[in-house]
């Protein structure tokens, strides 16, 4: 077995270098309050570590706080810094032309308060509000609904400002709790406004919206709108772009980043040791009164189940971990709820919020509140980065306060419903869209929340016609939180509706949550294999396409040598061969024989997909930087119905699975089915510092159908009295029912039908 030359081990961005670069990004500590006039916010996507380092060195302030090669980075710069960047050839795009002018406009507007033409109690949300105005508003909620609201001072800031929390609930004390906290970062003014909007709407609709009544009757909702009062006040009075608290660091600099000061993996990646930096972690974990107060609030409320920590900007719904790219426990549940929140947000004003775990989605940040809340307290904790995506950044127009509140209000309902349920139910392999006649095993996972899943009463309910009652199929417990069920699928061509039901210590729970009003659906079909390739011999695949420029790790058909990035085994039972991007050497480094320097394309032979129900199916492997900083690389898989003249995307693989994944696509869903189809796999290494390994095996073209059942005249998949009625109704004619094709429906046909019926 030959071994390809070992690829050079890539340089990865090290955080210590990055922190070094951030040293230059000093905060204003002395002199006149900064007015930022003429400052710009620029965006650039650093193409190399050198560019990233240079940009951070030249910038005056990092707005996006993301600092990764290949990811957009927003930086505030004065004219001189901008010129230096341009001279150095950094590809910057101007996002905001004059930060100071935006701030001045905002100040002028705030100096002459107006209700913005907004009627009713939402007029308060016409513009941003000060620390004092927010506290006063909290008292108004209590006056409006003393039965529902309590405001408490949960502690003091460094400069002795009260940190206030409002409890909104009609549930008994000690019921499950959900905490929304905002404004750990002072300049992110939309965050306290959004927290206040949530409070306002809960109070307003507590007696009218049944969904809210359910939540408030069963849970304690806690809202801490201003977690960093000193910083917030300072951002109004002195420096609009202040982020941290107001700790005097003793060396002429001020402020600790509260969201780097929590005692969970404190001092790890993405936090600075330099007191001048915007991400300064503080001298030790929980060194700051503000984080201590919030910590003690958690410790005093052991009933808390969920939390959102509001920030801006970026439009992101982030789940733990922030300190590592490794997945957090119960990641399927956490990310599922995060995505459901993002979907609910989108439905309101069609603003896209990207959901995902913090580390891989944004950048590493250690010592954050959500990591502590999840890691130390087991609270399902999310960071939401509110509007916008950089057009105005922290100086968001006031007109966006209410729309932001409206979309986030839907997200908090989703979070509440999903985390207050007795248990969460998920399907380990998703909902099968297609199964063969017979039966299919369904693997189920449960996560105990307020209740505990019980084995007796666990049932999969199914039916294959809307007018039938559901039939029970038992679910068996196979391990802690893992279950197995059988989904019967007796009739080819039918469509199954089904759902899952568990009895729990807190009542019943179903998947979907509102079953049987909604159900899961699965179609039953037989598949015919039109083409199958296990790659044991070459059935006509070629490597190479116009524009391919990878210098190493080209597609090759081999019995793979496993590395941590590349598979050790192919997927097909018979044989050992598959296509991978470069053969790995036994025992070699992860980076050995991955794709380097560009793209490499694997193209299929021509495939006959003229059957309108053709399905393309393959097993694919994709790994991208296992365990290291992820990047923008991805593997497009494309299909052509004209022999390769033009291509349409089947899927863009970005998931760092590092395992074989089977995928199926109905050709007609993507392109018109023809006899001249090709499929290609484009593995590419575009960003630096990445490690891309791909594989393909078990390639098949299937067609769907059901064998014709002799005598099934109404095509319902079985023979019954209604088929008999059709035959008798056509007696003596040429059909339907002329089963022996004699030209007349007669006794011979009747005998065939009855034989099929009883046989
Ligand atoms: O960096 C932060 O603290 C947050 N972004 S911001 O721009 N608002 O400062 C993101 C925090 C996400 N949480 C973790 N990374 N743990
Ligand atoms: Zn923030």
């Amino acid at each position: 077995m030959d071994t390809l030359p070992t690829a050079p081990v890539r340089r990865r961005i090290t955080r210590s270098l990055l922190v070094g670069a951030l040293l230059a990004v000093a905060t204003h500590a002395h002199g006149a309050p900064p007015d930022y006039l003429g400052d710009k916010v620029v965006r650039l996507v650093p193409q190399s570590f050198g560019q990233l380092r240079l940009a951070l060195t030249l910038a005056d302030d990092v707005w996006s706080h993301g600092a990764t090669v290949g990811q957009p980075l927003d930086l505030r710069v004065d004219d001189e810094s901008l010129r230096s960047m341009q001279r150095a050839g950094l590809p910057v795009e101007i996002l905001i032309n004059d930060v100071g002018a935006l701030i001045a406009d905002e100040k002028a507007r705030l100096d002459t308060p107006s209700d913005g033409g907004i009627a009713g109690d939402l007029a308060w949300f016409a513009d941003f509000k000060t620390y004092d105005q927010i506290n006063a508003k909290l008292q108004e909620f209590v006056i409006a609904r003393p039965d529902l609201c309590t405001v408490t001072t949960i502690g003091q800031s460094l400069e002795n400002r009260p940190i206030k929390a409002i409890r909104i609930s009609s549930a008994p004390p000690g019921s499950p709790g959900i905490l929304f906290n905002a404004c750990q970062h002072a300049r992110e003014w939309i965050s306290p406004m959004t927290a206040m909007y949530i409070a306002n709407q809960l109070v307003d609709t507590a007696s009218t919206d049944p969904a809210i009544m359910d939540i408030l009757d069963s849970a304690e909702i806690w809202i801490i709108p201003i977690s960093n009062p000193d910083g917030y006040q300072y951002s109004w009075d002195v420096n609009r772009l202040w982020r941290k608290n107001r700790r005097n660091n003793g060396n002429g600099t001020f402020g600790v980043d509260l969201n780097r000061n929590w005692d969970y993996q404190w001092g790890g990646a993405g936090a600075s040791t330099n007191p001048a930096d915007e991400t300064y972690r503080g001298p030790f974990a929980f060194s700051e009164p503000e984080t201590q107060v919030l910590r003690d609030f958690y410790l005093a409320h052991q009933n808390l189940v969920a939390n959102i920590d509001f920030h801006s900007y970026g439009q992101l719904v982030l789940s733990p971990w922030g300190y590592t790219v490794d997945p957090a426990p119960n990641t399927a549940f956490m990310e599922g709820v995060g995505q459901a929140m993002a979907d609910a947000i989108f439905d309101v004003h069609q603003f896209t919020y990207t959901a995902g775990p913090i580390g891989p989605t944004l950048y590493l940040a250690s010592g954050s509140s959500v990591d502590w809340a999840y890691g130390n307290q087991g609270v399902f904790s999310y960071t939401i980065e509110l509007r916008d995506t950089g057009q105005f950044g922290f100086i968001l127009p006031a007109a966006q306060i209410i729309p932001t509140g409206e979309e986030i209000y839907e997200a908090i309902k989703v979070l509440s419903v999903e985390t207050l349920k007795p248990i969460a139910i998920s399907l380990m392999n998703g909902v099968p869209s297609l199964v063969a006649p017979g039966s299919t095993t369904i693997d189920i996972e449960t996560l105990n929340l307020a209740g505990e899943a019980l084995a007796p009463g666990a049932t999969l309910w199914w039916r294959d016609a809307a007018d039938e009652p559901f039939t029970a199929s038992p679910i068996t417990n196979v391990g802690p939180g893992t279950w197995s069920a059988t989904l019967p699928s007796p009739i080819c061509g039918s469509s199954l509706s089904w759902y899952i039901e568990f009895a729990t210590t807190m009542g019943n729970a179903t998947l979907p949550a509102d079953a049987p009003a909604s159900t899961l659906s699965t179609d039953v079909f037989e598949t015919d294999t039109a083409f199958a390739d296990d790659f044991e011999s070459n059935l006509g695949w070629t490597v190479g396409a116009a524009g391919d420029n990878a210098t190493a790790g080209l597609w090759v058909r081999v019995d793979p040598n496993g590395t941590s990035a590349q598979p050790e085994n192919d997927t097909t039972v018979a044989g050992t061969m598959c296509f991978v991007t470069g053969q790995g050497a036994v025992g070699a480094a992860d980076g050995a024989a991955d794709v380097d320097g560009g793209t490499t394309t694997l193209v299929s032979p021509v495939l006959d997909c003229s059957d309108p129900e053709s399905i393309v199916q393959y097993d694919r492997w994709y790994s991208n930087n296992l365990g290291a900083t992820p990047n923008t690389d991805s593997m497009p898989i494309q299909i052509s119905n004209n022999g390769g003249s033009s291509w349409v995307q089947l899927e863009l693989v970005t998931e760092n699975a590092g395992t074989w994944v089977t995928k199926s696509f109905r050709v007609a869903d993507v392109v018109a089915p023809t006899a001249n189809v090709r499929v290609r796999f484009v593995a590419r290494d575009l960003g630096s510092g990445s490690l891309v390994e791909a594989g393909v095996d078990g390639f098949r073209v299937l067609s769907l159908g059901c064998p014709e059942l002799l005598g099934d005249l109404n095509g319902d998949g079985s023979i019954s009295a209604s088929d008999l009625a059709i035959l008798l109704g056509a007696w003596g004619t040429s059909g339907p029912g002329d089963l022996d094709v004699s030209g007349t429906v007669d006794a011979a046909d009747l005998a065939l039908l009855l034989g099929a019926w009883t046989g």
Side-chain angles (χ1 to χ4, degrees):
M1 198 152 303
D2 43 11
T3 306
L4 291 175
T6 302
V9 175
R10 303 317 177 64
R11 188 159 80 172
R12 302 208 170 111
I13 303 162
T14 66
R15 295 286 155 181
S16 54
L17 280 170
L18 200 57
V19 168
L22 280 162
L23 292 183
V25 187
T27 51
H28 295 265
H30 303 290
D35 61 17
Y36 305 108
L37 283 171
D39 281 14
K40 297 178 171 31
V41 175
V42 297
R43 175 166 294 176
L44 97 153
V45 184
Q47 298 302 312
S48 64
F49 181 71
Q51 277 194 354
L52 172 63
R53 196 178 148 85
L54 182 61
L56 290 171
T57 307
L58 295 175
D60 296 278
D61 183 9
V62 185
W63 274 36
S64 58
H65 284 277
T68 310
V69 172
Q71 294 287 341
L73 180 62
D74 297 355
L75 304 166
R76 180 175 57 76
V77 290
D78 60 18
D79 274 341
E80 197 189 312
S81 312
L82 176 62
R83 271 195 302 277
S84 310
M85 285 185 179
Q86 286 164 336
R87 264 198 305 273
L90 291 177
V92 295
E93 167 206 345
I94 294 180
L95 276 189
I96 300 179
N97 198 42
D98 189 340
V99 177
L102 275 185
I103 293 174
D105 287 353
E106 181 186 67
K107 187 161 177 18
R109 195 186 70 218
L110 288 165
D111 283 346
T112 41
S114 127
D115 65 8
I118 299 165
D121 81 332
L122 284 182
W124 193 84
F125 295 90
D127 215 328
F128 297 97
K129 291 294 187 288
T130 63
Y131 169 75
D132 288 333
Q133 288 171 317
I134 287 173
N135 285 344
K137 185 72 177 170
L138 290 178
Q139 293 304 332
E140 280 180 34
F141 294 140
V142 179
I143 291 164
R145 288 297 302 264
D147 56 320
L148 199 67
C149 303
T150 334
V151 172
T152 42
T153 294
I154 60 168
Q156 262 80 29
S157 68
L158 188 68
E159 293 174 350
N160 286 316
R161 288 189 180 82
I163 299 176
K164 297 198 181 244
I166 184 167
R167 176 189 186 272
I168 306 175
S169 179
S170 40
S175 300
I178 299 181
L179 170 66
F180 303 114
N181 67 290
C183 205
Q184 287 200 76
H185 291 148
R187 63 189 174 186
E188 299 164 10
W189 283 12
I190 186 61
S191 102
M193 294 308 288
T194 303
M196 292 301 282
Y197 184 92
I198 295 169
N200 193 76
Q201 294 313 98
L202 290 175
V203 170
D204 260 19
T205 61
S207 311
T208 51
D209 180 341
I212 295 301
M213 288 160 76
D214 268 1
I215 293 170
L216 296 181
D217 281 346
S218 55
E220 296 187 311
I221 304 294
W222 293 94
I223 298 174
I224 302 175
I226 306 180
S227 309
N228 174 12
D230 301 346
Y232 191 59
Q233 190 64 41
Y234 193 75
S235 73
W236 278 76
D237 294 347
V238 184
N239 180 349
R240 174 64 180 86
L241 296 180
W242 194 257
R243 165 182 166 100
K244 302 184 281 183
N245 77 346
R246 287 297 298 161
R247 169 71 72 187
N248 182 345
N249 294 323
N251 62 348
T253 72
F254 282 79
V256 169
D257 184 350
L258 297 180
N259 209 27
R260 301 292 182 278
N261 190 238
W262 293 66
D263 193 11
Y264 194 83
Q265 298 286 326
W266 178 85
S272 173
T273 54
N274 182 345
D277 281 354
E278 294 291 19
T279 56
Y280 175 46
R281 65 191 191 181
F284 50 90
F286 286 133
S287 59
E288 301 312 296
E290 295 85 0
T291 49
Q292 292 165 15
V293 167
L294 265 72
R295 171 201 61 194
D296 293 345
F297 181 84
Y298 273 98
L299 296 176
H301 296 90
Q302 289 297 311
N303 55 328
L304 288 173
V305 293
N307 160 252
I308 299 176
D309 177 33
F310 287 108
H311 288 257
S312 78
Y313 57 95
Q315 293 175 201
L316 302 164
V317 179
L318 301 167
S319 46
W321 300 121
Y323 79 92
T324 174
V325 294
D326 293 344
N330 301 315
T331 187
F333 173 72
M334 285 296 275
E335 285 175 40
V337 172
Q339 186 58 55
M341 285 198 271
D343 293 345
I345 291 170
F346 182 82
D347 287 345
V348 179
H349 295 297
Q350 287 69 55
F351 272 55
T352 302
Y353 284 56
T354 305
I358 296 160
T361 310
L362 194 58
Y363 50 86
L364 294 179
S366 58
S368 69
S369 66
V370 293
D371 280 7
W372 185 84
Y374 193 48
N376 193 289
Q377 295 291 298
V379 172
F380 298 115
S381 194
Y382 294 84
T383 304
I384 292 191
E385 297 279 354
L386 298 163
R387 291 190 188 187
D388 57 11
T389 56
Q391 189 186 357
F392 298 99
F394 303 120
I395 323 295
L396 195 69
Q400 296 203 33
I401 297 171
I402 292 174
T404 304
E406 288 169 340
E407 65 203 11
I408 297 302
Y409 195 55
E410 296 308 311
I412 69 112
K413 289 189 202 170
V414 169
L415 179 73
S416 307
V417 169
E418 294 301 327
T419 57
L420 293 172
K421 308 202 276 216
I423 61 168
I425 307 169
S426 42
L427 302 180
M428 280 153 88
N429 303 310
V431 180
S433 56
L434 206 63
V435 295
S439 65
T440 307
T441 301
I442 304 288
D443 296 318
I444 303 163
E445 225 169 30
T446 55
L447 174 63
N448 292 337
L449 299 169
E452 206 178 300
L454 303 172
T459 308
L460 184 156
W461 294 98
W462 69 278
R463 67 181 178 198
D464 57 14
D467 54 357
E468 279 173 18
F470 286 96
T471 305
S473 175
I475 295 178
T476 47
N477 190 210
V478 292
T482 55
W483 310 78
S484 177
T486 299
L487 176 64
S489 44
I491 300 170
C492 190
S494 65
S495 183
L496 302 172
S497 303
W498 55 286
Y499 66 96
I500 284 171
E501 181 171 34
F502 278 89
T504 82
T505 48
M506 300 275 293
N508 279 18
T510 60
L511 179 79
D514 57 347
S518 352
T519 53
L520 310 170
S521 73
T522 297
D523 291 332
V524 187
F525 278 107
E526 269 179 28
T527 49
D528 262 349
T529 306
F531 175 81
D533 196 344
D534 56 9
F535 297 110
E536 297 309 313
S537 59
N538 190 347
L539 299 183
W541 293 75
T542 53
V543 174
D548 269 10
N549 56 353
T551 51
L554 272 58
W555 285 105
V556 57
R557 195 175 59 83
V558 291
D559 173 1
N561 291 326
T563 69
S564 72
Q566 175 173 298
E568 163 65 20
N569 288 312
D570 76 341
T571 64
T572 40
V573 182
T576 55
M577 310 282 276
C578 62
F579 267 101
V580 289
T581 49
Q583 176 65 298
V586 179
D590 304 354
D594 68 321
V595 183
D596 279 322
T599 64
T600 173
T601 306
L602 174 66
V603 188
S604 79
V606 165
L607 308 164
D608 184 351
C609 295
S610 50
D611 182 316
E613 290 303 328
S614 294
I615 302 270
V616 162
Q617 188 181 71
Y618 48 80
D619 306 324
R620 48 103 166 137
W621 175 287
Y622 188 68
S623 105
N624 181 5
N625 259 29
L626 275 180
T629 309
N631 56 72
T632 50
D633 282 342
S634 56
M635 176 165 71
I637 302 178
Q638 299 166 333
I639 189 166
S640 167
N641 66 354
N642 49 22
S645 306
S646 59
W647 297 88
V648 174
Q649 196 109 305
L650 276 176
E651 60 166 335
L652 183 68
V653 188
T654 55
E655 74 204 51
N656 179 17
T659 180
W660 287 107
V661 176
T662 303
K663 281 284 170 176
S664 305
F665 295 91
R666 182 171 173 262
V667 174
D669 291 342
V670 191
V671 292
T674 68
N676 199 16
V677 164
R678 285 185 200 268
V679 172
R680 69 179 186 186
F681 298 80
V682 186
R684 51 190 189 177
D685 175 34
L686 303 180
S688 65
S690 68
L691 185 75
V692 171
E693 288 280 13
V696 180
D697 201 11
F699 190 95
R700 295 171 280 275
V701 176
L702 311 169
S703 65
L704 289 185
C706 294
E708 254 172 60
L709 185 59
L710 188 75
D712 178 17
L713 297 175
N714 62 5
D716 69 354
S718 65
I719 299 168
S720 62
S722 56
D723 300 307
L724 180 60
I726 292 170
L727 185 142
L728 295 177
W731 196 262
T733 72
S734 61
D738 181 15
L739 300 179
D740 61 2
V741 208
S742 66
T744 316
V745 179
D746 54 19
D749 299 309
L750 179 59
L752 281 172
L753 188 139
L754 294 176
W757 195 352
T758 53

